[in-house]
Amino acid sequence: MPFWKFNRDLDVIFINQKFENETFSSQLVLKEPLVLMLPKQHPLAQYSEITTTQLQGAILTILTHKLSQPLARTITQYIKQQQIHFQSIDEANTIGEAIQAVHSGHSCAILPAYIQALATDQIVVRPLNHALPHLDVFMSYQKLKSSIATQQFLEEIRQVFDIESQLDPK
């Protein structure tokens, strides 16, 4: 059973799937796109757009399932659906390891777009000829009891993510 089913003391939790019951309500707050990161010297880096056919035989690094099951599952499903046959798929235990694998020229990586901010000048981001999947981020919160701090936090989330006033725990 998910952790939040056992812990009724939680005010807010960010999760990767919608979760609703008598205590909690959920709101989609973000659809985080995934991007393809390549070493600057990689042969595919010269293209402005890359096809899945061009990815065949490449080495890919993804974040380990232990770090992010939803991310690893999304990427694995995408690879199967697109029938991409990588030479190998290496798992990184940290975001830093994934960035280092690309920076060093060892592999390319499919990672959440926000990680682009950590890319070095030796890394390029290229779009594919079709959209990569995205990760859904839901905010779940208690419907019935909420502190003033929780209500203020929900208001901040509404403003930051431009969400209608559906986030009303009252």
Side-chain angles (χ1 to χ4, degrees):
M1 284 192 149
F3 168 76
W4 58 90
K5 279 195 173 180
F6 295 110
N7 192 337
R8 302 276 188 221
D9 294 331
L10 290 174
D11 288 323
V12 177
I13 186 170
F14 290 90
I15 55 177
N16 68 316
Q17 60 191 11
K18 190 170 188 157
F19 177 76
E20 306 246 352
N21 67 14
E22 67 283 348
T23 306
F24 286 94
S25 188
S26 291
Q27 174 69 46
L28 179 67
V29 294
L30 181 65
K31 286 183 170 286
E32 179 66 32
L34 300 180
V35 297
L36 176 67
M37 300 175 90
L38 300 159
K40 193 175 194 174
Q41 73 275 17
H42 194 284
L44 295 177
Q46 67 182 320
Y47 298 104
S48 60
E49 185 178 83
I50 297 169
T51 67
T52 54
T53 303
Q54 290 172 306
L55 288 175
Q56 302 294 336
I59 298 172
L60 179 70
T61 296
I62 64 171
L63 294 176
T64 180
H65 286 79
K66 293 176 187 172
L67 185 62
S68 177
Q69 285 184 347
L71 176 61
R73 185 175 47 248
T74 299
I75 293 170
T76 303
Q77 288 172 350
Y78 168 77
I79 290 167
K80 287 179 184 174
Q81 288 170 348
Q82 296 298 318
Q83 299 179 349
I84 304 171
H85 301 285
F86 288 98
Q87 178 180 331
S88 67
I89 299 176
D90 302 331
E91 289 192 346
N93 292 313
T94 66
I95 293 170
E97 282 181 18
I99 294 291
Q100 180 58 35
V102 178
H103 174 86
S104 70
H106 173 73
S107 71
C108 58
I110 297 175
L111 296 167
Y114 68 84
I115 294 177
Q116 291 178 83
L118 304 174
T120 68
D121 62 353
Q122 297 302 307
I123 296 174
V124 297
V125 175
R126 294 291 182 261
L128 294 180
N129 64 339
H130 64 280
L132 276 163
H134 60 270
L135 294 176
D136 291 337
V137 179
F138 290 88
M139 181 179 68
S140 291
Y141 54 91
Q142 290 203 30
K143 293 180 197 178
L144 304 176
K145 69 170 193 170
S146 67
S147 66
I148 293 172
T150 300
Q151 291 174 21
Q152 290 172 340
F153 179 74
L154 292 174
E155 182 57 34
E156 288 291 321
I157 293 294
R158 282 187 200 107
Q159 292 174 14
V160 168
F161 293 103
D162 195 28
I163 299 171
E164 297 295 321
S165 293
Q166 300 167 333
L167 305 178
D168 222 347
K170 299 171 190 169

